[in-house]
Amino acid sequence: MEINDIDIIIEVLDGNTDKFAILIDKYKNKIFKIVSMHVPQDYVEEVANDIFFKSYKSLKTFKNDSPLINWLTVISIRTCKDFWRKKYAQKDMPMSSFSEETEQTIEQGIDYRTPEDNILGEEKYKMLMKAMEYLKPVERTIISMMYAEERSVAEIASITGMTESNVKVTAFRARKKLSEILNTMM
């Protein structure tokens, strides 16, 4: 018999903190999948750990009005946005300033999934992921949620706190920008 999430949360809040490991084991694959769609592969584990740490620290705020995975998804998206805010705060270097070898290393680090999981083919997928880096974090989040996670506009609006209209407009603009970036790269 599987213990439900709310029972585990109650035990954790009552001081049995070791029980939180059950929630980590239950949701780690879903969280890793979400994170791998939003940050470079080299940072997935670090960001996922941040997510579980933040969720543990704010467990008392879980209201049980929706499934725990929805609450964890919101924390995941926000943590991924925080990751990119920190990255954007650092001084950027243009790709042209790197050697060809360094550029290839960077491109290899962008491959979030294995080529077998990718219907586009390895090279096209790498190009798409490289182009995604030029989008704003909110644009990247919406595009990833819409296409990689196959979420509806209503779900994305609920998770991000945006209106459905804003999600649609942002997705439209992001697709247009992504198309321009890809055309430039080709």
Side-chain angles (χ1 to χ4, degrees):
M1 184 174 127
E2 186 177 322
I3 302 172
N4 70 33
D5 293 343
I6 197 66
D7 290 338
I8 296 170
I9 291 169
I10 290 170
E11 284 191 49
V12 171
L13 293 174
D14 285 343
N16 192 354
T17 56
D18 293 341
K19 292 285 184 174
F20 191 72
I22 295 170
L23 295 176
I24 292 173
D25 287 340
K26 184 174 180 180
Y27 293 110
K28 70 181 174 189
N29 290 339
K30 290 180 182 179
I31 298 304
F32 272 80
K33 183 176 180 183
I34 291 168
V35 174
S36 70
M37 297 294 178
H38 296 280
V39 302
Q41 190 63 41
D42 293 348
Y43 298 96
V44 170
E45 190 172 332
E46 177 185 334
V47 173
N49 284 334
D50 288 347
I51 291 164
F52 285 116
F53 179 74
K54 287 178 181 180
S55 61
Y56 173 78
K57 287 296 210 183
S58 57
L59 201 56
K60 62 182 173 255
T61 65
F62 177 67
K63 293 184 172 79
N64 197 27
D65 54 0
S66 64
L68 182 63
I69 188 60
N70 291 359
W71 184 74
L72 290 170
T73 299
V74 170
I75 293 172
S76 299
I77 298 301
R78 289 179 181 162
T79 304
C80 290
K81 284 182 180 180
D82 291 344
F83 168 85
W84 286 108
R85 277 190 205 104
K86 289 177 192 171
K87 283 288 177 197
Y88 282 135
Q90 297 171 355
K91 187 175 180 177
D92 290 332
M93 293 180 70
M95 286 296 285
S96 60
S97 67
F98 294 120
S99 70
E100 188 175 321
E101 183 179 277
T102 304
E103 189 172 336
Q104 287 175 352
T105 303
I106 291 169
E107 287 175 2
Q108 289 169 358
I110 295 167
D111 191 12
Y112 302 144
R113 299 182 291 177
T114 62
E116 296 80 28
D117 294 339
N118 181 6
I119 60 170
L120 293 174
E122 185 176 358
E123 288 304 312
K124 288 181 182 176
Y125 184 74
K126 283 182 179 181
M127 187 178 287
L128 176 63
M129 290 299 102
K130 186 173 180 178
M132 289 277 287
E133 289 186 352
Y134 292 99
L135 297 178
K136 294 178 183 175
V138 68
E139 293 169 335
R140 187 174 28 257
T141 296
I142 289 173
I143 292 295
S144 295
M145 291 175 80
M146 192 172 278
Y147 297 104
E149 298 174 30
E150 298 178 349
R151 293 183 182 268
S152 68
V153 170
E155 280 182 292
I156 296 169
S158 172
I159 290 170
T160 61
M162 298 170 71
T163 65
E164 289 185 29
S165 296
N166 282 346
V167 170
K168 290 177 187 177
V169 168
T170 303
F172 174 79
R173 290 179 181 162
R175 283 191 301 267
K176 185 177 177 183
K177 189 187 292 185
L178 200 52
S179 176
E180 291 169 359
I181 293 167
L182 287 169
N183 285 335
T184 303
M185 291 171 85
M186 293 178 152

